[in-house]
Amino acid sequence: MRLQFPSGVAGAGSRTRRPDAGPIAQPRGFLEKKMAIPRLRHAVRTLFEVPAALRRLSRACSTFHAFTDVLRLPKRQMTKLVFPLQELERQLTPDSRLDLHVKIFDPSLEDISKAEAVFTATSRNRISYLSSAVRLDHAPDLPSPEVCFIGRSNVGKSSLIKALFSLVPEVEVRVSKKPGHTKKMNFFKVGKYFTLVDMPGYGYRAPEDFVDMVETYLKERRNLMRTFLLVDSVVGIQKTDSIAIEMCEEFALPYVMVLTKIDKSSKGHLLKQVLQIQKFVDRETQGCFPQLFPVRTYLSK
């Protein structure tokens, strides 16, 4: 059966799992962009086996300037930036707090600081743009694991990736206020650890060849280890998002749901959306990690 997006985007596949898909529920974490982006860096880092030398890394948090800025903030403000779900949890009654999976992934501040090493360019850890492709057979053939970011047009996907690479300003990630700016699959090398893939947005102004490009990649890319699916927290899960989620489920892809633009609505509205999406994840999905990743709007300087 072929799944049809309203704009012509499709997803398909039988219910059988991809042979190399591996365990379904593995990745963990939630984040906020810009100041708390190291939390996602830590989440991405934990997907792969990092050499023992890096795991034993014991540099002080102040080594990494981006996270140092966070550590200088008052404690409550720092917690609000790094752990946004904890702020929302305070608005709930004790009985309702179990509906939010806040503590499933709870790295220490030291762990988050160490994870920035993966996203810090050095002579031994080269971070760079690799290439772009409109078809899977044009994509670079790399042995390293891959993570990809997908979502509706204008959901903030490229902005989030730009924030992840904020420690490497020479890596250019193009961001536009116009929906549908990304037309190709863009591949970025993150040292020897993994490759990050920025996928075109689905929905409004999606590329004409979106179906062949994205569906084929998700279904057949052997080294795809995790998919980050971005959802606008202001409007919640839309019809096109539901189809994208169904694609991930049909192809048995382990994926994580990222809630963008959490600063664009009131606490009450945001809490309602988060609880609704959390309930959807718990009841309607199998391959989605139960804990959500809330992020703020990223404003580049």
Side-chain angles (χ1 to χ4, degrees), residues 131-146:
S131 65
S132 299
V134 295
R135 289 167 41 186
L136 182 58
D137 56 1
H138 293 170
D141 185 11
L142 302 170
S144 58
E146 288 183 0

Side-chain angles (χ1 to χ4, degrees), residues 6-297:
S7 61
V9 179
S14 64
R15 193 60 186 170
T16 56
R17 295 189 62 208
R18 199 175 65 183
D20 60 329
I24 285 184
Q26 294 179 7
R28 306 174 176 183
F30 61 93
L31 59 119
E32 260 186 77
K33 273 190 267 185
K34 188 55 178 175
M35 296 304 291
I37 204 69
R39 190 171 178 82
L40 181 58
R41 292 192 182 110
H42 180 76
V44 175
R45 170 199 169 194
T46 58
L47 299 181
F48 315 109
E49 290 192 10
V50 181
L54 182 58
R55 288 200 300 268
R56 294 195 299 266
L57 187 65
S58 60
R59 299 176 185 175
C61 290
S62 59
T63 300
F64 305 104
H65 300 297
F67 200 61
T68 300
D69 293 338
V70 178
L71 297 175
R72 289 180 182 144
L73 296 172
K75 184 176 180 180
R76 182 165 183 177
Q77 187 177 357
M78 179 182 67
T79 301
K80 182 179 179 180
L81 283 172
V82 182
F83 307 105
L85 284 183
Q86 290 185 18
E87 182 73 13
L88 289 177
E89 190 181 30
R90 295 191 182 98
Q91 312 299 318
L92 296 173
T93 61
D95 292 342
S96 301
R97 291 182 180 179
L98 294 177
D99 294 335
L100 279 181
H101 304 309
V102 176
K103 297 294 185 181
I104 293 177
F105 177 63
D106 193 23
S108 68
L109 296 177
E110 184 180 4
D111 288 336
I112 295 173
S113 179
K114 290 176 181 178
E116 284 196 342
V118 175
F119 285 87
T120 301
T122 66
S123 59
R124 295 186 177 183
N125 188 52
R126 298 188 180 278
I127 301 174
S128 61
Y129 162 78
L130 286 176
S131 65
S132 299
V134 295
R135 289 167 41 186
L136 182 58
D137 56 1
H138 293 170
D141 185 11
L142 302 170
S144 58
E146 288 183 0
V147 298
C148 77
F149 287 70
I150 65 173
R152 287 193 304 119
S153 298
N154 207 33
V155 74
K157 177 171 48 59
S158 295
S159 296
L160 174 56
I161 294 173
K162 184 179 180 68
L164 282 170
F165 289 126
S166 61
L167 298 178
V168 196
E170 60 270 24
V171 175
E172 182 181 4
V173 180
R174 296 182 179 180
V175 177
S176 174
K177 293 182 180 179
K178 296 181 179 180
H181 176 74
T182 304
K183 298 296 185 182
K184 302 178 180 180
M185 299 182 289
N186 299 314
F187 294 78
F188 299 88
K189 179 182 179 182
V190 183
K192 60 184 179 182
Y193 304 113
F194 59 91
T195 302
L196 188 151
V197 187
D198 182 9
M199 308 293 284
Y202 49 79
Y204 179 68
R205 293 190 65 190
E208 294 181 359
D209 51 356
F210 182 95
V211 175
D212 293 334
M213 186 191 316
V214 177
E215 180 181 335
T216 304
Y217 172 86
L218 293 177
K219 186 176 182 179
E220 299 182 9
R221 191 66 164 177
R222 296 296 179 182
N223 53 338
L224 175 61
M225 303 301 292
R226 193 69 70 244
T227 298
F228 290 87
L229 197 158
L230 277 61
V231 173
D232 188 334
S233 67
V234 177
V235 298
I237 296 175
Q238 300 294 291
K239 185 174 182 179
T240 49
D241 296 317
S242 296
I243 297 174
I245 291 169
E246 190 171 349
M247 281 176 57
C248 291
E249 293 287 330
E250 289 287 343
F251 299 152
L253 298 174
Y255 63 104
V256 180
M257 203 168 294
V258 179
L259 307 184
T260 65
K261 306 179 183 180
I262 66 170
D263 55 320
K264 296 297 184 180
S265 57
S266 66
K267 285 186 179 179
H269 178 76
L270 175 61
L271 184 58
K272 179 181 177 180
Q273 291 283 17
V274 168
L275 289 174
Q276 287 179 346
I277 296 172
Q278 185 76 78
K279 183 181 296 185
F280 174 87
V281 169
D282 291 344
R283 297 181 178 180
E284 305 295 333
T285 71
Q286 297 180 20
C288 185
F289 186 72
Q291 187 169 311
L292 305 176
F293 285 65
V295 301
R296 287 179 177 269
T297 303

